[in-house]
Amino acid sequence: TFELLGRHRYRKGQGVLGVGDPAYGGVDGVQTRRRGPSLAPLPATRAEVEAITTGSGDRHLLGAEATEHGLRTALSAKGPDHVWKSVHLACHAIVDVESPSMTSLALTPGGGEDGLLSSAEVLQLNLRTDLAVLSACRTARGKYVRGEGLMSLTRAFMFAGAPRLIVSLWDVDDDATAFLMTTFYREWNAGRSTAQALRRAQLSVRDHEIRDASSGKTSRPWSDPKYWGAWVLWGLPE
């Protein structure tokens, strides 16, 4: 996969395509069985995606628009030669370590689709982007297969064409993640490398302070690594 990615040298990408705050209501039948427990809304992902898609070339899909079909359409909406700077997916992830092809990003059901964008379906995408960000829980997790390596969403997105990914190793906090991602894009858009921007965003979450209005004391509610240490960068060097 690394070798194939290294052969493609697209021109530098433009614009962020963000997907967030999927509508998880109204799921029944086989969809419920595949999803497991009901998926709670993720309101912070809407603010996250809105904050990172403020440029003239950006686009976002939120709520009812955040479907599988909507994503596929948006990926190619600017023409077959367009390269996105980032494709950012903020949602729930359903990780199946034993059957990694069924590991999915949970989007909005609709149009005859269950809303579960599985690793197997990701392999069919044509991702022309500098970076994919899977802003969900445990998106780096997978199964080691002898002779193949780690089979996961990360592998699927790279195979589909993303040369670099930001993914998570464990369950992440909704609000801390929104803060981290907003900071990451601000640093990245300022010209820092992906790795530098991610590191600065993680440190920003770790050092974030809030002040108690009554006592005047400050605290760092996200100092524990569980709030910022899950995020890792995979892929090719820049």
Side-chain angles (χ1 to χ4, degrees):
T1 304
F2 276 120
E3 180 182 358
L4 290 172
L5 286 171
R7 295 178 187 174
H8 295 284
R9 296 298 179 190
Y10 304 133
R11 65 178 184 275
K12 195 168 181 63
Q14 296 181 333
V16 175
L17 173 58
V19 179
D21 192 23
Y24 291 130
V27 182
D28 54 16
V30 66
Q31 298 171 356
T32 301
R33 291 195 292 274
R34 284 189 61 195
R35 286 169 179 262
S38 298
L39 298 177
L42 295 172
T45 63
R46 175 177 289 264
E48 174 184 331
V49 170
E50 288 177 337
I52 66 173
T53 55
T54 57
S56 59
D58 299 342
R59 181 175 179 184
H60 59 234
L61 302 173
L62 299 169
E65 294 183 338
T67 63
E68 295 177 72
H69 176 72
L71 173 62
R72 295 189 187 97
T73 301
L75 284 172
S76 58
K78 295 191 177 185
D81 296 326
H82 178 76
V83 180
W84 291 97
K85 183 175 183 179
S86 173
V87 174
H88 184 102
L89 297 152
C91 56
H92 280 296
I94 300 173
V95 179
D96 190 332
V97 175
E98 293 306 313
S99 300
S101 65
M102 297 301 291
T103 292
S104 307
L105 295 174
L107 304 180
T108 300
E113 296 179 310
D114 60 10
L116 298 177
L117 182 67
S118 68
S119 292
E121 291 171 320
V122 171
L123 293 172
Q124 309 302 316
L125 297 178
N126 179 22
L127 281 175
R128 296 175 63 87
T129 183
D130 294 335
L131 174 71
V133 181
L134 308 188
S135 183
C137 297
R138 301 186 297 157
T139 48
R141 296 286 300 276
K143 180 179 182 179
Y144 177 77
V145 178
R146 189 171 183 177
E148 288 292 337
L150 185 67
M151 305 303 291
S152 63
L153 276 170
T154 303
R155 173 73 171 270
F157 271 85
M158 292 179 68
F159 189 88
R164 282 169 293 281
L165 286 100
I166 292 176
V167 288
S168 65
L169 292 166
W170 56 76
D171 289 346
V172 294
D173 180 82
D174 199 20
D175 293 320
T177 296
F179 185 90
L180 183 145
M181 292 300 174
T182 303
T183 306
F184 164 76
Y185 278 93
R186 183 171 64 247
E187 298 287 342
W188 194 39
N189 290 331
R192 292 184 173 85
S193 71
T194 310
Q196 291 171 333
L198 177 59
R199 179 178 184 274
R200 290 174 71 93
Q202 289 176 301
L203 294 177
S204 180
V205 172
R206 186 195 68 180
D207 298 336
H208 178 65
E209 292 187 347
I210 60 172
R211 181 180 296 274
D212 184 87
S214 58
S215 67
K217 293 182 179 180
T218 60
S219 62
R220 292 163 55 189
W222 297 329
S223 60
D224 192 295
K226 70 181 181 181
Y227 291 103
W228 51 266
W231 300 101
V232 291
L233 173 63
W234 287 62
L236 301 180
E238 292 178 80

